[in-house]
């Protein structure tokens, strides 16, 4: 079974629009970590955020914000006032205490910001 | 910050060639490194977990004899794609855990920049 689901395969928005990338996860662990990574066309993975299962406080970093809802097992990522440089594939990932040696990546959401 | 260097960044070679990819943790020690493969427009799939001084643990469906992993030191793991064929063409990414930061799933993973392998 897929542990991390990113239902949105591709999203296109016009520059300056807000966009939310969805992430739903599945785990039986009480201790786990959630991540978001950005992968630009060059291929490297850029770390954006890590959140542990005991901290549901939403986080804002500049134009980026994250909404962690344990009740719905979701960890959504919002970009406000999108820019062309935000165009990339975004991956949500899960790391569990019980299987602490690996990441489970979602299938990614390809975001295109149109100027 | 923790840096993982992956080399080479791009390889183009003929079918039947063996290709070695290096993953180095530059400013930290990594008892565990991970190798991922990513096909175009797909997610990263874990291939194997590389443990310093011991045999790698391969995920189901990954051929051990095809993808040789060596983790001889706390800062270097290598992945060798033996007798590569066009279907092995992919983007390979390594990551490393800092042994002195956090425990288990709390340990940050630091990713290399990836190696794009093209087999003609």
């Amino acid at each position: 079974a897929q542990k991390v689901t990113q239902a949105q395969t591709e999203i296109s928005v016009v520059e300056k629009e807000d966009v939310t990338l969805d992430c739903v996860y599945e785990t039986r662990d009480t201790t786990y970590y959630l991540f978001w990574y950005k992968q630009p066309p060059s291929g490297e993975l850029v770390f954006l955020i890590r959140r542990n299962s005991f901290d549901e406080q939403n986080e804002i970093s500049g134009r980026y914000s994250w909404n962690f809802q344990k009740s719905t097992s979701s960890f959504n990522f919002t970009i406000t006032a999108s820019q062309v440089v935000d165009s990339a594939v975004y991956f949500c990932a899960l790391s569990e205490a019980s299987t602490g040696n690996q990441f489970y990546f979602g299938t990614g959401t390809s975001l295109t910001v149109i100027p | 910050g923790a840096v993982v260097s992956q080399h080479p960044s791009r390889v183009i070679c003929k079918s039947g060639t063996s290709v070695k990819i290096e993953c180095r943790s530059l400013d930290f020690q990594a008892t565990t490194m991970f190798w991922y493969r990513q096909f175009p427009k797909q997610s990263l799939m874990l291939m194997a977990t590389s443990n310093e001084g011991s045999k790698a643990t391969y995920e189901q469906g990954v051929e051990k004899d095809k993808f040789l992993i060596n983790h001889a030191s706390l800062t270097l793991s290598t992945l060798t794609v033996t007798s590569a064929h066009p279907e092995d063409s992919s983007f390979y990414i390594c990551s490393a855990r800092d042994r002195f930061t956090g425990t288990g799933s709390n340990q940050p993973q630091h990713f290399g920049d990836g190696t794009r392998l093209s087999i003609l």
Side-chain angles (χ1 to χ4, degrees), chain A residues 101, chain B residues 32-35 46-51 55-59:
Chain A
N101 286 335
Chain B
T32 305
M33 293 186 175
F34 305 90
W35 288 96
L46 180 67
M47 298 175 65
T49 301
S50 170
N51 299 298
K55 291 183 178 181
T57 303
Y58 290 82
E59 295 300 301

Side-chain angles (χ1 to χ4, degrees), chain A residues 33 39 50 95 100-101 103 106, chain B residues 34 38 43 97 105-106 109:
Chain A
Y33 290 81
Q39 187 178 43
R50 180 181 72 162
S95 176
N101 286 335
F103 273 25
Chain B
F34 305 90
Q38 185 182 30
S43 187
R97 286 187 183 277
S105 59
N106 187 26
Q109 278 200 27

Side-chain angles (χ1 to χ4, degrees), chain A residues 18-34:
Chain A
D18 299 346
V19 59
T20 296
L21 310 182
D22 298 333
C23 175
V24 175
Y25 62 93
E26 180 181 332
T27 180
R28 293 183 179 180
D29 283 28
T30 54
T31 302
Y32 54 90
Y33 290 81
L34 296 165

Side-chain angles (χ1 to χ4, degrees), chain A residues 69-84:
Chain A
Q69 299 272 356
K70 289 180 73 171
S71 60
T72 56
S73 296
S74 65
F75 186 44
N76 296 338
F77 172 33
T78 298
I79 302 174
T80 58
S82 59
Q83 301 176 2
V84 174

